[in-house]
Amino acid sequence: MDPALTSALIELLLIVIIGIFAGIIGSLVGLGGGVVLTPLLTLFLKVPIAYATGASLISTIATSSGSASAYIKDKITNVRIGMGLEIATTLGAIIGSLIASYIYSHSLFYIIYISFGIILISSIPSTLSRGRYELPLPKRPDKTTKIFRLNGKYFDPVLRQEVQYWGIRWWLAEIIMFFAGIISGLLGIGSGALKVLAMDWGMNLPMRVSTTTSNFMIGVTAATGSSIYWYLGYIQPFLAAGTAIGVLIGAFIGTKILIKITNRTIRWIFSSIIIFLGIEMIIKGIVAIGILLPLFYEYLIPSIITAIFIIGVYIRVRIKNET
Amino acid sequence: MRHKIDMELIIGQTLRFGVIISILLIVVGVVILFIQGQSNGISLDKLSMINSTVNSSSINVNQMLLNFSFNGLNFIILGLLTLIATPIARIILGIASFAMEKDKLYVIITVIVLFNLIFSIFILPAIIHI
């Protein structure tokens, strides 16, 4: 075989495999594929950060649209609430991607790396609390509940009952969604964790409604950002093609495994991968500022912190089980 | 009520087929790219490089769509565009669905969302360009 062809094929395989891995982790911990994809591409394949975020936005659209179709059929997604909040996320995504374009044109890459790391690590608490599908304590409907018709109902397969719910504080959710949009445009991710926070904590919606509606919204937010990324040249067709295929395969495998995995410890393991990637990104950001670290420390520091995290969690789980 | 149920199904199916079609186009594009070993006069190793200079800003989409040739890169680009267009189709169907229910407030809300999207696709690039 032609050596140029072989090297391109290996390149493609690596991209697809990283995509599959990101898709599996993403769907298992309930984050979009992009959050894991970008660190893997930049850290292990040395892909330029702008191309990595561009590819990540594209795969985010693919996974969101792919799984949203299933959730709409189940009638858990609240299309009204989703559409209403997209005003804020699309506006935020426009501003976020413009900030990204400023950052890239001024070579301030460390801002992207460091904020990416912080977003990864701060997504851990919401990742760990996922799977708790208790219903929120009902709060009194407010004015926005009536004006924007934020009520709905769905059949909960776990609780085996029809759940009636209503959302409150529409304005608060819009504010949080605006920031979710900025993060999405800035880092090329779906920022699902923030979206869920806006609906779950902000609007007091049931977790199931929040997660499926968030997933439904992510595609539109990502499409807004990706059109600006497209114009700015952050989308590298070969890379985006490989990651889109990989992440979709990974997300599909992930949802198949998810049905079987109920064990919490597996979620801890994946969370520690995310912590590791988060610290790696922050260190990469520090190196990008110009502070040189010996290569040795670049992997040692994240490994130590991740190990502490795993041990800490293990001890906590043990204590909980004994009492 | 009958309209609403129909529309939700249509929106769901649009999303699903949008993704399927775009992924098929991308896969076909990649296969053609590897068979031909080049695309649009650019060699495969130049296209596949991690820091390749071939990116979305160096491709003229209008020109590519007007004289579409059987090239790997063209199929990949078409697939990526279809993927980006899928959520937009969903918004437009959403407007139709709210209009059928005579829900004025949500027609207005969804039109604002569509405007934001159109703004970022067509108007903003022109503004940045200046």
Side-chain angles (χ1 to χ4, degrees):
Chain A
M1 217 155 98
D2 179 19
L5 196 70
T6 318
S7 71
L9 199 60
I10 292 169
E11 199 77 66
L12 181 72
L13 277 178
L14 281 175
I15 294 168
V16 172
I17 289 168
I18 284 187
I20 293 176
F21 191 64
I24 293 177
I25 300 182
S27 70
L28 284 185
V29 299
L31 301 165
V35 147
V36 193
L37 182 69
T38 302
L40 290 178
L41 287 177
T42 51
L43 297 171
F44 298 110
L45 277 191
K46 310 284 176 211
V47 173
I49 182 91
Y51 282 171
T53 53
S56 149
L57 262 188
I58 294 290
S59 0
T60 302
I61 301 176
T63 46
S64 163
S65 296
S67 56
S69 62
Y71 291 131
I72 294 174
K73 213 169 60 192
D74 294 343
K75 306 213 181 298
I76 303 175
T77 307
N78 191 315
V79 178
R80 243 189 203 87
I81 292 177
M83 287 284 192
L85 296 176
E86 266 163 12
I87 294 180
T89 56
T90 48
L91 208 63
I94 292 173
I95 293 170
S97 38
L98 289 178
I99 299 173
S101 99
Y102 180 88
I103 288 173
Y104 290 131
S105 61
H106 291 75
S107 298
L108 306 168
F109 301 108
Y110 66 91
I111 299 178
I112 301 285
Y113 283 118
I114 293 175
S115 15
F116 211 111
I118 292 170
I119 290 291
L120 272 174
I121 292 168
S122 61
S123 72
I124 295 291
S126 74
T127 298
L128 294 180
S129 64
R130 261 178 78 95
R132 283 186 306 123
Y133 283 119
E134 300 110 27
L135 299 171
L137 289 173
K139 287 187 180 153
R140 261 168 60 111
D142 59 17
K143 269 186 193 161
T144 57
T145 311
K146 209 176 158 213
I147 298 170
F148 295 103
R149 299 213 263 141
L150 306 175
N151 51 319
K153 56 173 194 257
Y154 70 96
F155 183 78
D156 195 307
V158 175
L159 302 170
R160 290 168 191 278
Q161 65 176 57
E162 194 178 72
V163 177
Q164 298 258 4
Y165 64 88
W166 59 87
I168 56 168
R169 296 185 296 215
W170 190 75
W171 54 272
L172 179 62
E174 289 283 343
I175 294 170
I176 303 173
M177 285 297 179
F178 177 69
F179 287 101
I182 291 184
I183 300 288
S184 171
L186 180 67
L187 305 179
I189 56 176
S191 59
L194 254 181
K195 286 193 171 81
V196 170
L197 183 80
M199 286 183 276
D200 168 52
W201 175 77
M203 293 179 80
N204 202 40
L205 292 173
M207 198 60 173
R208 222 168 251 280
V209 176
S210 303
T211 46
T212 55
T213 307
S214 151
N215 187 69
F216 170 77
M217 298 173 63
I218 281 172
V220 174
T221 320
T224 312
S226 61
S227 55
I228 299 169
Y229 274 40
W230 187 286
Y231 175 76
L232 295 167
Y234 302 162
I235 292 164
Q236 212 273 68
F238 190 82
L239 182 70
T243 51
I245 297 168
V247 169
L248 261 186
I249 298 172
F252 185 76
I253 298 171
T255 46
K256 294 283 165 204
I257 306 174
L258 196 61
I259 302 166
K260 290 174 191 150
I261 295 178
T262 41
N263 196 335
R264 273 238 167 145
T265 40
I266 292 168
R267 205 175 281 133
W268 297 110
I269 295 168
F270 286 110
S271 303
S272 52
I273 295 176
I274 289 173
I275 289 223
F276 181 84
L277 292 175
I279 298 164
E280 273 294 347
M281 287 300 263
I282 292 175
I283 287 181
K284 209 166 158 82
I286 294 170
V287 173
I289 294 175
I291 302 168
L292 283 175
L293 286 173
L295 197 65
F296 177 63
Y297 288 109
E298 256 184 63
Y299 291 99
L300 185 69
I301 298 170
S303 307
I304 290 174
I305 299 176
T306 310
I308 294 171
F309 169 78
I310 296 171
I311 294 166
V313 161
Y314 179 76
I315 293 170
R316 232 189 92 187
V317 171
R318 282 284 297 266
I319 292 169
K320 250 190 192 166
N321 288 347
E322 280 166 15
T323 49
Chain B
M1 263 334 264
R2 203 175 58 88
H3 283 306
K4 188 175 176 253
I5 294 161
D6 286 348
M7 276 318 279
E8 279 186 354
L9 190 72
I10 292 170
I11 292 175
Q13 294 295 353
T14 309
L15 289 176
R16 177 174 301 162
F17 286 114
V19 173
I20 293 173
I21 291 168
S22 60
I23 288 298
L24 282 180
L25 283 169
I26 291 172
V27 171
V28 168
V30 171
V31 171
I32 297 173
L33 185 63
F34 275 91
I35 291 172
Q36 296 187 337
Q38 56 87 35
S39 183
N40 305 40
I42 310 159
S43 66
L44 180 59
D45 55 322
K46 205 180 163 196
L47 271 170
S48 65
M49 251 163 35
I50 276 318
N51 45 7
S52 166
T53 49
V54 182
N55 62 41
S56 49
S57 68
S58 64
I59 296 157
N60 189 331
V61 174
N62 287 336
Q63 213 166 34
M64 191 210 87
L65 292 176
L66 281 174
N67 28 27
F68 194 84
S69 55
F70 201 77
N71 268 323
L73 193 57
N74 289 357
F75 277 91
I76 294 176
I77 296 288
L78 199 60
L80 295 176
L81 289 176
T82 311
L83 204 53
I84 298 175
T86 314
I88 304 168
R90 204 206 75 195
I91 297 290
I92 293 168
L93 288 171
I95 296 175
S97 153
F98 288 129
M100 277 178 186
E101 292 173 39
K102 298 196 167 49
D103 188 337
K104 268 189 202 155
L105 178 67
Y106 273 89
V107 170
I108 295 169
I109 284 176
T110 318
V111 167
I112 296 173
V113 175
L114 181 66
F115 174 79
N116 283 352
L117 258 170
I118 300 289
F119 180 79
S120 70
I121 297 170
F122 298 107
I123 305 172
L124 205 60
I127 297 173
I128 305 175
H129 200 68
I130 296 164

